[in-house]
Amino acid sequence: KQEVTQIPAALSVPEGENLVLNCSFTDSAIYNLQWFRQDPGKGLTSLLLIQSSQREQTSGRLNASLDKSSGRSTLYIAASQPGDSATYLCAVINAGGTSYGKLTFGQGTILTVHP
Amino acid sequence: DAEITQSPRHKITETGRQVTLACHQTWNHNNMFWYRQDLGHGLRLIHYSYGVQDTNKGEVSDGYSVSRSNTEDLPLTLESAASSQTSVYFCASSAQLGTGELFFGEGSRLTVL
């Protein structure tokens, strides 16, 4: 059964700092990995989607990498801002077994960027 | 713009009542999913559908049902609501199974008293 772990569970940084959020998964049979942002009381907003054949994706100040063989992904946020404060979730779409085509989510990292 | 909408956004009901949460998407996506989100458990898959007349059970499907009569809608029904079903429910859709990006609705907060 696929398991997704995110470290750290919470992170507090001053504005302007570069930071890295980590995601690991136990089964490398995945189609893709997706990073989401969730604001309090809101739904999930897709940030980046990395296909299993890709190594990284970039969008503005965000860069996500994927090392499928080691079961790891990182989300790099450059020059963090208070508006980046949210919960960040990673999820993998499984390619094998009974979990085929379904997402498995991590527990999320709660990010606080203070002025 | 295409979107995915859920209703109601908030609902309070009593134990034993039947409740239906609506999910409507205008992307014409074949794949639709229902998740619940709880502290300490993260997001867990309840039911999903890969197309009209197709429905499948997820990891926490007991006490829930779905039906897919058209491409746009996947309503989630709680046959007899229980306090353990107090949660935030999210609907999601994707165009391509496996490789497609997943899009989420804003969520429905359900409280069962």
Side-chain angles (χ1 to χ4, degrees):
Chain A
K1 180 184 172 186
Q2 178 76 270
E3 293 183 3
V4 179
T5 303
Q6 291 187 244
I7 295 174
L11 183 63
S12 180
V13 300
E15 182 176 6
E17 196 161 293
N18 302 324
L19 56 99
V20 174
L21 307 182
N22 296 291
C23 173
S24 62
F25 47 96
T26 55
D27 187 348
S28 62
I30 65 170
Y31 277 118
N32 63 43
L33 184 145
Q34 198 167 350
W35 282 93
F36 295 90
R37 169 187 172 136
Q38 185 176 28
D39 294 293
K42 299 288 187 180
L44 280 70
T45 300
S46 179
L47 296 173
L48 289 164
L49 173 71
I50 312 177
Q51 302 293 349
S52 62
S53 59
Q54 296 175 317
R55 298 285 294 183
E56 65 178 289
Q57 280 285 343
T58 299
S59 176
R61 294 183 293 110
L62 305 179
N63 176 275
S65 67
L66 174 64
D67 185 342
K68 186 180 160 186
S69 60
S70 68
R72 294 179 184 176
S73 176
T74 61
L75 179 66
Y76 175 83
I77 303 177
S80 59
Q81 303 170 356
D84 294 331
S85 298
T87 298
Y88 290 81
L89 295 146
C90 75
V92 297
I93 290 191
N94 300 293
T98 57
S99 296
Y100 170 79
K102 291 174 281 187
L103 257 67
T104 301
F105 281 87
Q107 295 279 337
T109 294
I110 301 171
L111 173 65
T112 304
V113 182
H114 47 89
Chain B
D1 283 343
E3 59 181 3
I4 182 166
T5 55
Q6 294 183 231
S7 62
R9 295 292 314 280
H10 302 272
K11 180 150 183 88
I12 300 174
T13 191
E14 295 176 341
T15 302
R17 294 206 182 248
Q18 184 181 78
V19 176
T20 297
L21 305 179
C23 175
H24 179 80
Q25 51 97 2
T26 58
W27 280 297
N28 204 35
H29 287 169
N30 281 327
N31 311 305
M32 297 184 72
F33 306 84
W34 273 104
Y35 291 87
R36 61 178 289 174
Q37 187 176 37
D38 305 284
L39 274 174
H41 291 281
L43 278 140
R44 293 179 290 174
L45 182 63
I46 306 171
H47 280 287
Y48 57 102
S49 168
Y50 293 149
V52 176
Q53 301 301 331
D54 177 75
T55 61
N56 305 280
K57 294 181 180 181
E59 61 181 306
V60 290
S61 60
D62 288 347
Y64 303 94
S65 63
V66 292
S67 60
R68 188 87 181 271
S69 59
N70 57 53
T71 301
E72 296 80 16
D73 299 290
L74 187 70
L76 177 71
T77 297
L78 287 68
E79 303 293 344
S80 177
S83 58
S84 61
Q85 295 176 308
T86 293
S87 185
V88 181
Y89 292 86
F90 289 100
C91 180
S93 71
S94 71
Q96 294 170 291
L97 185 63
T99 56
E101 189 173 5
L102 210 69
F103 297 93
F104 278 78
E106 288 288 293
S108 295
R109 182 176 295 275
L110 177 67
T111 302
V112 183
L113 301 175

